[in-house]
Amino acid sequence: MLYIFDGTVYGFLTAFLEAFHDENALLCSREKQLVLGYTPVFVTTDEARAKKAENRLKSFDGDCLRDLQTLLRCGQADSEQVAFAYFRALANAKRPIRNDLSKSEVFQATEYIKKVGLEIHRFHGFIRFMETASGALYAPFAPDNDICELLLPHFRARLPHYPFVLHDTVRKKAVVYDGEHTFSAPLDKADILLSANETAWQSLWRKYYDAVNIPARERLKQMRGYMPVRYWKFMPEKNKYSP
């Protein structure tokens, strides 16, 4: 059976209960393509059952829900199935298993959690804000994982007095900090009017980048390792962004 849930934590936990005894079960959200050869079962989220499952799993491992939230944000196509295998192993073991890396389901889940954490760390440095005419800051980016909300606390702490928008152009969503409150919203395309100073600031940044670069000691392979090419699109020192 292919158990299709709504992509939420409680949706996953409801599907987890439904699929637990199905040895060939596959779990995915509604956003994923149906798998040929599997009969789809659309699971309706049952918050009461999900909370009971949550409490039971947390009795085995107090930090396991944090792992689940991270796995559900992973951009890998099979991340929800990996989460299902991991949590079924946890439920069977009735104890923390995150250090049992000899188990394939634990190893795979750990690798996916690391991928999300690494990308969060990278975007702490790779995000490039642009100043808009209103004075708010706007930063488009295209992450591999659904990390928009996870980046918000870092930039809110760094920029407590500046309203800003983090725009995930892949998932067409944004998180907004208005200087006091934060919220998420769908955002397909943003028509941004830049401030009069923004073009000058971007030009100055490119000049600085060129000035510190040493052509004779260029290490492109190393650069791509530290700064993956897929992130360059929204970095003014690498490519000019056109809103």
Side-chain angles (χ1 to χ4, degrees):
M1 293 284 191
L2 174 65
Y3 298 84
I4 303 172
F5 66 101
D6 61 7
T8 65
V9 169
Y10 284 162
F12 173 88
L13 291 173
T14 304
F16 173 77
L17 293 174
E18 293 288 332
F20 187 83
H21 296 292
D22 182 350
E23 290 300 320
N24 298 313
L26 291 180
L27 265 67
C28 71
S29 71
R30 293 193 178 108
E31 298 177 353
K32 303 294 176 63
Q33 185 176 357
L34 296 181
V35 179
L36 293 177
Y38 278 80
T39 302
V41 176
F42 293 90
V43 178
T44 300
T45 300
D46 185 329
E47 188 171 324
R49 288 187 71 202
K51 285 183 177 179
K52 289 181 180 179
E54 176 184 11
N55 291 333
R56 182 66 170 162
L57 290 167
K58 287 170 70 174
S59 73
F60 302 146
D61 180 349
D63 294 327
C64 68
L65 263 292
R66 182 180 59 190
D67 294 337
L68 175 58
Q69 291 166 351
T70 303
L71 285 168
L72 293 182
R73 288 181 177 275
C74 181
Q76 298 295 315
D78 63 344
S79 59
E80 292 155 338
Q81 183 63 22
V82 167
F84 174 62
Y86 176 78
F87 277 84
R88 183 154 61 179
L90 172 63
N92 286 329
K94 295 181 173 57
R95 60 172 179 79
I97 59 172
R98 62 171 46 83
N99 293 324
D100 296 344
L101 297 179
S102 61
K103 298 179 183 293
S104 61
E105 57 267 40
V106 177
F107 178 81
Q108 193 64 64
T110 301
E111 288 299 297
Y112 282 8
I113 290 170
K114 285 180 180 178
K115 283 180 182 292
V116 177
L118 175 59
E119 189 167 54
I120 292 171
H121 174 72
R122 282 174 165 170
F123 273 113
H124 285 169
F126 290 166
I127 287 290
R128 297 291 184 266
F129 284 102
M130 296 181 287
E131 185 182 60
T132 67
S134 68
L137 304 178
Y138 170 72
F141 70 124
D144 297 330
N145 305 290
D146 185 6
I147 60 173
C148 219
E149 290 85 358
L150 303 182
L151 289 170
L152 187 59
H154 172 80
F155 288 107
R156 181 174 178 175
R158 293 292 300 274
L159 304 165
H161 306 300
Y162 294 90
F164 64 79
V165 177
L166 292 171
H167 182 193
D168 182 341
T169 62
V170 176
R171 293 161 190 83
K172 303 184 186 310
K173 61 185 283 189
V175 293
V176 179
Y177 172 58
D178 64 7
E180 184 175 356
H181 306 98
T182 60
F183 59 91
S184 302
L187 182 59
D188 187 357
K189 183 180 179 181
D191 295 320
I192 302 298
L193 180 62
L194 299 179
S195 71
N197 292 327
E198 179 58 30
T199 301
W201 281 116
Q202 290 195 15
S203 176
L204 185 63
W205 176 236
R206 291 191 193 96
K207 288 179 180 178
Y208 168 78
Y209 182 83
D210 291 339
V212 298
N213 185 40
I214 304 175
R217 299 181 61 186
E218 200 166 46
R219 299 289 187 271
L220 290 178
K221 183 177 180 180
Q222 185 180 44
M223 179 189 295
R224 294 187 182 104
Y226 288 124
M227 187 189 296
V229 175
R230 63 185 180 279
Y231 297 156
W232 291 7
K233 179 179 179 181
F234 300 115
M235 306 180 80
E237 66 267 35
K238 303 303 297 181
N239 283 295
K240 185 176 181 180
Y241 172 65
S242 299

